[in-house]
Every structure is written in C-alpha cells, then in structure tokens.
C-alpha cells in the first residue's frame, strides 16, 4: 500500500465546490471517479487540505489517497491527467509515508483574492476576479492589513454558519494588498483559516478602501469577536487557494 | 427610425458561435432576444461586421440595428447590458446615419491569436489560449510574418469550406508575433479576412517556429493558391476579434 500526495489546480467556475455531492460536478467527485476507474472499480477516497466553495479556484490544492499500485509518480500524474476533465489538472505526484495527512499536517496555507478595480466589467474576468468599480484608497487598505497580521482570534471574520468547534485563533504570517495592473491582489498567508474568513476580511478591507471604516477599526473588530459587526462576504470567483505547506516541504 | 452601432465584447467559450441557430446559445441569438424584449416583442435583427466561430472571442466586435426608440446612447448601453448575459457586454453605443452598415463598411479588421507556450497546461487558460508545449524559434516566425504583409491572394490560407465567391486577395497592414510572458501574441491587421484565414496562418507559423518549414516557404505557398499544401487549422479558443475599423472612425 502506497500513500500518494498530489498537488492539483482547478478552475472552480464549472464545479459545485470541492466536496462530493450526489448528481453534482465536484472536484472530489471527478478525482475519485478517475481514481476508481484506474483501480478497476475499487472505490478510492481522497483527503484534501480543506474544501473550497463553489466558484473558488485552486493553483495549489493538496490531496492524498492510498493505492496498492506500484507505479512511478510521473506515470501517476500522466494517468490521472488523461482521465480528468480539462479544468482540473494534477501538477505533481509524490510518494509520502503513510503517516502523512493532507488536512491534519498542514502548517501554512496561502490564499489570494483578486478584485478587478475598473469601471466597466470585463467578460473575460467574470469568473476569475470580483468586479468592484468604486474608487479605493490602497494605502489605507495596506495599513489595515498590518492590523490583521499576527496571532488573533478571528471570530468576527468567520461565517456564523461555521461548524468549527474549538479555537478560532489563527496566526497570520502575511496579509497584504498590491495593485497589479487594473487588479488588486490580496495575499493571505496563515497557519489556517476559518470558514469564509478570507472573503469576509476582503469585504472589510474594501469598506476601508472606500473610507467607510478606518484601518484602526480592525483592532476593535478583532477584540469584539462578533460576526454581526462586519458586512458582506465578497463573491467566490476572486478567491484562489494558492499554496499549502507541510512540515519539511514547500 | 434610428440606426445604432454597438461595440461589443464576448467570451466565446460558452457560445455556439455568433450566428443565430435554433436551440443553440449564440451571440446573435442573445442580442436579438434582448432587443426584441426591449421592443415589447417586435423582432429586431442585427448585422455584424462578420461572424465568429464557436469558441472564438471578441474584444471589439461591431454590430448595427434599427429602432424606433429615441433614447440617449448611454441609456441604450445600460438597458442592453441589463438584459444580456454576463459573458456578452456592450462597450459603446453610437447613433449612425442609416447608410452605415456594420459589414459592408469595414475598412480594417484586427485579430489577435494567443498561444500558451509552456510545457504544462494551465486550467485557467484552457478556453483563452492554445496550449502548444513545443519549443518555438520566435525570430524565424517573425521573419515569416514579413512575407505575409502586403497585398496577396490568400487562397492557400483559407478554408476549403469557404463559400466566399469573388476575390481572395486581401491587404495585410500588419502581421506580427511577440512573446508576452509565457504566451505568444500574434497580431493580424488587414482589409479583410477569409474564412479560417488567421487560424490557418498561425498553424503554418507554428510549423515554421518548429523548423518544419522555412520563412521563405510563405512566398511559394501564397503563389501556389492551394489549401492542400498547408497543415491543420489551430483551435478557436486562442482567437480574438480585437477591433473593427470604419471610414472616419476608429
């Protein structure tokens, strides 16, 4: 029995999210279908670093699964990519010890969020960035990002629907935003993320960029631990799971 | 009665081409549906600068139509965009004399073609560029482009299926290719184009970039006027109708 770790990328726009669901096209569903076909009908289950919602993309999601096959990793990659649809691609396959777990062993996760900050929409970006046509003060947003870095309880910035029990404290190694052409790129690098956390934070940062809040509000919002205090979750198509890091690997 | 000229953009990936067809989602179909709804059921027909095939995109297609409504052009734009799906967008509306014709009055057309020239495919580019993983000699391709500029009979580079009667002579003002990050951008600016012409020429340019042909072959191929002499038409998703120019307007 071998345990295989795969780095995968997907365009989330045509998927009903990561998690398998009956009669819906999901990333887990497509991966398990391909693996089961390779194993002549024997059901193969995968584990991911975490789920992504409908419309959310991945540049570097990580999954693992077990197999009895003894195949070189490059052939695993080729075989899977032959069976997978063209909006889901295996970038890399690695043999790992059977103690490795794609979800429990995560040490860092990186998310990016893209805002298309021009007046007119762009049909080619509709599934790949959030079109936000209003003027933004980037310096104020950057100042707000600094308040988010470090170790905090992010209850205020997590979905009320979250089923997560246990601590809502997370370490943010980097929170930043930069102008890239006509887009604003938000980068979040942290020990872990609560449900909808990135999309709720970006919503607040956009409020700050419009002058509806001050960067200093972040400190107070973190302290209050109340989801009701902040606005809307921004839409999924701007969000990318960029990279997942494990102990001794990057 | 007013004649309206519209500059439109569309992501061609979810359309069965420009031309209206029963039970298929087409650009003409969506535009005429929106216009007919605006005119309370009165059927409105549009004319375009030319058709585009399934999967082909437009950054600046031009259409015209007639209407009895007397509405400011900016309101036309808003009303249409409210009714159109989000992969089809009206960039600009202009009132024109009723002698204007979107197809017959074209003086120049510009097409771009994008080749993703890296080893691994990119799921986010699958509908927006042609993934071509082989090494290319850009200088040789650029030299070949020069042979295509000027006034030529392009029979060799047009689809055998073409129904066009009349001259296959066209003026190419610019044919060029440049590296843009990991993509190669081909630009074609001409007085007009034959069916599949850009996609057939790009196929030959890729042959030249791989050393299967020499740039000098272009001259001979143009002279022979025989479609059988050249290879495959490259796929539609790399092609963009970039701009259409009319007399006294750009």
């Amino acid at each position: 029995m071998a345990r295989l770790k795969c780095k995968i990328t997907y365009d989330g726009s045509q998927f009903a999210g990561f998690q398998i669901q009956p009669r819906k096209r999901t990333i887990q569903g497509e991966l398990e279908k391909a693996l089961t076909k390779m194993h002549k009908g024997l059901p193969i289950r995968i584990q991911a670093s975490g789920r992504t919602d409908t419309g959310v993309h991945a540049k570097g999601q990580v999954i693992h699964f077990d197999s009895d096959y003894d195949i070189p990793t490059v052939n695993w990659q080729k075989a899977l990519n032959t069976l997978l649809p063209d909006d889901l691609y295996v970038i890399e396959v690695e043999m790992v010890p059977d103690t490795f777990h794609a979800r429990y062993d995560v040490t860092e996760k990186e998310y990016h969020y893209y805002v298309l900050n021009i007046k007119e929409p762009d049909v080619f970006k509709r599934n790949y960035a959030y079109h936000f046509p209003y003027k933004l003060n980037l310096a104020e947003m950057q100042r707000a990002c600094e308040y988010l870095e470090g170790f905090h309880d992010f209850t205020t910035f997590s979905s009320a629907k979250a089923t997560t029990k246990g601590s809502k404290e997370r370490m943010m190694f980097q929170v930043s935003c930069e102008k890239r052409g006509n887009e604003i790129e938000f980068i979040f690098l942290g020990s872990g993320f609560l449900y909808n956390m990135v999309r709720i934070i970006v919503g607040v940062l956009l409020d700050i960029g419009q002058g509806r809040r001050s960067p200093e509000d972040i400190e107070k919002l973190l302290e209050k631990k109340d989801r009701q205090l902040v606005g809307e979750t921004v839409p999924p198509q701007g969000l990318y799971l960029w990279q997942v890091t494990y102990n001794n690997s990057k």
Side-chain angles (χ1 to χ4, degrees), chain A:
Chain A
M1 183 73 85
R3 181 155 290 187
L4 283 310
K5 173 190 172 192
C6 302
K7 185 174 164 187
I8 63 172
T9 178
Y10 45 84
D11 173 342
S13 47
Q14 307 300 319
F15 288 104
F18 190 90
Q19 196 186 11
I20 200 161
Q21 295 174 69
R23 288 175 302 282
K24 292 214 171 154
R25 187 173 185 269
T26 66
I27 295 122
Q28 185 182 0
E30 294 296 322
L31 283 165
E32 294 187 352
K33 193 164 70 181
L35 283 166
T36 299
K37 190 175 271 182
M38 272 187 76
H39 291 79
K40 304 186 175 97
L42 181 78
I44 304 284
R45 300 307 302 264
I46 63 163
Q47 295 288 336
S49 73
R51 296 166 191 168
T52 52
D53 281 340
T54 301
V56 174
H57 312 291
K59 292 284 269 189
Q61 167 72 288
V62 173
I63 60 149
H64 84 255
F65 61 89
D66 294 326
S67 170
D68 276 333
Y69 288 170
D70 182 21
I71 321 178
T73 51
V74 62
N75 295 12
W76 266 112
Q77 191 204 356
K78 275 186 205 160
L80 281 169
N81 282 327
T82 306
L83 292 167
L84 290 170
D86 68 355
D87 49 354
L88 172 53
Y89 185 79
V90 178
I91 300 169
E92 199 176 28
V93 180
E94 205 184 323
M95 200 93 75
V96 287
D98 63 4
T99 51
F100 173 85
H101 195 288
R103 183 156 144 234
Y104 302 136
D105 295 352
V106 173
T107 53
E108 276 175 47
K109 264 185 168 179
E110 182 174 339
Y111 282 96
H112 289 200
Y113 194 93
Y114 292 89
V115 166
L116 180 67
N117 193 215
I118 48 174
K119 211 177 152 220
E120 304 281 317
D122 179 339
V123 294
F124 299 103
K125 290 287 172 70
R126 73 194 191 287
N127 293 325
Y128 305 108
Y130 171 34
H131 179 231
F132 189 83
Y134 312 107
K135 223 179 175 160
L136 290 168
N137 182 331
L138 187 69
E140 286 289 270
M141 289 159 66
Q142 287 169 330
R143 217 149 64 72
C145 286
E146 290 177 32
Y147 286 102
L148 290 160
E149 290 183 343
F151 189 73
H152 303 289
D153 184 311
F154 285 96
T155 303
T156 304
F157 302 97
S158 76
S159 173
K161 284 186 287 179
T163 53
T164 327
K165 302 229 169 69
S167 169
K168 299 209 171 169
E169 292 175 322
R170 295 291 184 276
M171 179 70 196
M172 289 299 116
F173 303 109
Q174 180 191 343
V175 180
S176 61
C177 59
E178 291 294 342
K179 210 162 162 48
R180 302 254 177 257
N182 50 28
E183 296 189 355
I184 295 167
E185 177 187 65
F186 295 82
I187 298 182
F188 296 83
L189 181 63
S191 62
F193 292 84
L194 304 170
Y195 186 56
N196 272 355
M197 179 171 149
V198 172
R199 289 163 57 190
I200 293 168
I201 292 177
V202 170
V204 175
L205 291 174
L206 292 176
D207 283 345
I208 291 169
Q210 290 185 283
R212 296 164 166 232
R213 282 186 182 279
S214 75
E216 287 70 26
D217 276 10
I218 297 282
E219 244 181 333
K220 293 173 218 150
L221 288 168
L222 284 165
E223 271 167 30
K224 294 256 175 70
K225 297 176 194 162
D226 181 0
R227 172 67 181 91
Q228 307 298 327
L229 297 174
V230 300
E232 291 298 298
T233 305
V234 291
Q237 72 271 18
L239 187 60
Y240 295 72
L241 173 53
W242 206 261
Q243 188 168 241
V244 187
T245 307
Y246 297 88
N247 267 325
N248 309 319
S249 76
K250 172 111 191 177

